[in-house]
Amino acid sequence: MEQDISMIEVNILAPTRLCKLFLPDFIKRGHGKVLNVSSTAATMPGPLQAVYYATKSYVTSWSNALWRELKGTGVTVTALMPGAMKTGFANAGGLSDTKLFANAVDPYKVAQDGYNGMMKGKLNVTLGLPGWQTPMIKLAPLFHKKAMLNFVYDQQIAGSAKK
């Protein structure tokens, strides 16, 4: 429970508070850019990481809504939606030996591309996906929900990288 509450505080409460704090000044001066870190996890439910996936869904949905609300103010909001990256996240979450992290990418390029997308005022920047994951993310909303849940579960189950 505490780990889930902490994740909600970091992934939802912190960016919400920061935006509520700084956006009025951005709007007042007529320019500003916000880059919220979401994830490709935002595009589907995530068994075995349900709270993480749900918090990232919030970040993307909320960022997209803010982008529209701020249209015409000179302020943009971009959601960075990377795939699995080589950070401490996999180890901390017990995911290092999963299919999901078997092809994790270098976070430096993801960060650079996210920054560039924010500077251009893009709505969402989805990147850092190896091979088959790129079309999968785009097609995810079309898949049968139970089949998608089973697929995500299989990608995240411990030891799946060896299967």
Side-chain angles (χ1 to χ4, degrees), residues 2 53 59 75 77 99 139 149 158:
E2 287 305 313
Y53 276 59
V59 171
V75 180
V77 178
K99 287 180 187 176
L139 295 173
L149 289 167

Side-chain angles (χ1 to χ4, degrees), residues 35 37-41 78-85 103-118 122 124-130 133-134 137-138:
L35 180 64
V37 180
S38 183
S39 170
T40 53
T78 300
L80 174 59
M81 301 174 67
M85 295 186 295
N103 297 303
V105 298
D106 179 12
Y108 179 80
K109 179 159 178 24
V110 171
Q112 186 65 52
D113 290 347
Y115 175 81
N116 292 338
M118 174 192 69
K122 288 190 173 184
N124 296 324
V125 178
T126 304
L127 39 79
L129 296 168
Q133 289 182 359
T134 300
I137 289 299
K138 290 178 182 170

Side-chain angles (χ1 to χ4, degrees), residues 14-37:
T16 302
R17 285 183 173 150
L18 287 168
C19 279
K20 293 286 184 178
L21 180 64
F22 290 105
L23 280 177
D25 289 336
F26 287 8
I27 294 166
K28 190 178 195 180
R29 73 172 185 237
H31 65 88
K33 300 193 178 297
V34 175
L35 180 64
N36 284 324
V37 180

Side-chain angles (χ1 to χ4, degrees), residues 20-107:
K20 293 286 184 178
L21 180 64
F22 290 105
L23 280 177
D25 289 336
F26 287 8
I27 294 166
K28 190 178 195 180
R29 73 172 185 237
H31 65 88
K33 300 193 178 297
V34 175
L35 180 64
N36 284 324
V37 180
S38 183
S39 170
T40 53
T43 64
M44 65 196 81
L48 301 178
Q49 290 189 74
V51 173
Y52 176 78
Y53 276 59
T55 63
K56 293 306 183 175
S57 182
Y58 170 88
V59 171
T60 299
S61 177
W62 172 67
S63 297
N64 289 179
L66 283 178
W67 178 91
R68 178 55 189 94
E69 289 175 12
L70 295 167
K71 191 172 182 179
T73 67
V75 180
T76 62
V77 178
T78 300
L80 174 59
M81 301 174 67
M85 295 186 295
K86 294 177 185 171
T87 66
F89 181 84
N91 287 337
L95 299 164
S96 57
D97 67 342
T98 63
K99 287 180 187 176
L100 182 64
F101 280 88
N103 297 303
V105 298
D106 179 12

